[in-house]
Amino acid sequence: MGEINTCLKRTFTIFNIIFAIAGAVIILLAVLAQVVTSSNGAANLDNRLTGLIMLYVVGSITMVVAVLGAYGAHKEKKGPLIAFLVCMVIGSMIMLRVGFTTVFARPQMEPVLEETFRRFLPLDEAREDVQEMANAMQDRMQCCGLFSYKDWGNNIPVSCLCDNVEEEEEDKCMNVNYNFLMTQKSVYSKPCFPILMHYVLLITDITLAIVFTLAALALLGLGLSSLMIHQLRHPNRAPVMLTVPAIFTPQPPKYQELHNPPSYTTY
């Protein structure tokens, strides 16, 4: 015991507390994402369950690794610290790869999603689950259609209608003719896809911030755990003192030439 520097141990403990908090925040974000996607009708999206499971797994692993590192530092045991070091190496590599892949894929997200959503048109002929998702978005985001109210053809749903006077005064609505009888209805003027895309890019940016933060923490934990393992392996090693060799120290000459002064005879 007492083989690890006290300052290093305290720094490592603070690091693991921050690491555990990061894991708890990820789990909290997963819970919030689950509640929000369940309430707005997006529960039937294909990638929703996979994304939630990944968030729960990453958050749980982060907290477990933080506890492992704190235990190894407190007990000054090499086994848990080596396991922590391996987790940091693997975690930093995964996070950096996911982060850079997402950065390069981000500009392509909008055209890919637009192509995917255009396959659902027209909405009045789409599957029932797609119509339920569109109605839920329209009701929550106050929009109509994915790209225009015309996506519904002549069957504009109730979720598109503006029945609030305040919304009409705020220019959120417009009057449209939607059937052969030229019946007018007041519907939301904004389409849903741009609003949805805004939230998708916002979530992507938040995800990138989390990923790169975890990668930075993993690299920091890698360095701290490496120092602690080094101190446990070499507990009694004296510190190395660096000295500058006296290369340019002036040396006395190897020989001196004797000069005999001339003698003068006085008469």
Side-chain angles (χ1 to χ4, degrees), residues 172-232:
K172 292 183 178 180
C173 307
M174 61 180 180
N175 294 323
V176 298
N177 300 320
Y178 74 98
N179 59 14
F180 298 107
L181 300 177
M182 302 299 289
T183 304
Q184 283 195 346
K185 280 189 176 183
S186 179
V187 299
Y188 292 114
S189 58
K190 293 182 179 180
C192 295
F193 180 78
I195 302 175
L196 178 64
M197 199 64 222
H198 168 74
Y199 286 109
V200 169
L201 293 178
L202 178 62
I203 293 173
T204 302
D205 293 337
I206 294 174
T207 302
L208 284 173
I210 293 174
V211 167
F212 283 115
T213 300
L214 289 177
L217 289 175
L219 292 174
L220 178 60
L222 189 154
L224 292 174
S225 58
S226 299
L227 289 176
M228 299 180 74
I229 293 171
H230 177 75
Q231 289 189 2
L232 288 175

Side-chain angles (χ1 to χ4, degrees), residues 62-94:
T62 301
M63 296 189 68
V64 170
V65 171
V67 172
L68 179 66
Y71 172 78
H74 179 70
K75 297 295 184 179
E76 297 190 3
K77 292 186 176 181
K78 290 189 293 185
L81 288 176
I82 292 174
F84 179 87
L85 176 62
V86 173
C87 292
M88 290 297 99
V89 173
I90 297 175
S92 61
M93 293 176 63
I94 293 176

Side-chain angles (χ1 to χ4, degrees), residues 79-205:
L81 288 176
I82 292 174
F84 179 87
L85 176 62
V86 173
C87 292
M88 290 297 99
V89 173
I90 297 175
S92 61
M93 293 176 63
I94 293 176
M95 291 300 166
L96 289 175
R97 180 174 181 178
V98 171
F100 285 114
T101 302
T102 306
V103 167
F104 291 119
R106 187 183 184 279
Q108 305 298 326
M109 294 181 67
E110 184 170 358
V112 170
L113 286 176
E114 181 176 353
E115 182 181 357
T116 302
F117 278 94
R118 286 194 180 278
R119 295 174 184 173
F120 299 147
L121 302 181
L123 289 175
D124 56 339
E125 299 178 4
R127 301 193 311 268
E128 183 178 355
D129 58 337
V130 174
Q131 293 186 7
E132 291 178 357
M133 181 184 68
N135 283 317
M137 285 194 300
Q138 291 171 164
D139 186 51
R140 177 172 293 274
M141 299 179 182
Q142 296 183 347
C143 54
C144 185
L146 293 176
F147 305 95
S148 169
Y149 72 92
K150 296 179 181 179
D151 295 342
W152 289 101
N154 292 321
N155 298 308
I156 298 178
V158 179
S159 58
C160 277
L161 302 181
C162 278
D163 296 329
N164 194 334
V165 178
E166 295 180 358
E167 294 176 350
E168 294 181 358
E169 292 178 353
E170 294 176 358
D171 296 330
K172 292 183 178 180
C173 307
M174 61 180 180
N175 294 323
V176 298
N177 300 320
Y178 74 98
N179 59 14
F180 298 107
L181 300 177
M182 302 299 289
T183 304
Q184 283 195 346
K185 280 189 176 183
S186 179
V187 299
Y188 292 114
S189 58
K190 293 182 179 180
C192 295
F193 180 78
I195 302 175
L196 178 64
M197 199 64 222
H198 168 74
Y199 286 109
V200 169
L201 293 178
L202 178 62
I203 293 173
T204 302
D205 293 337

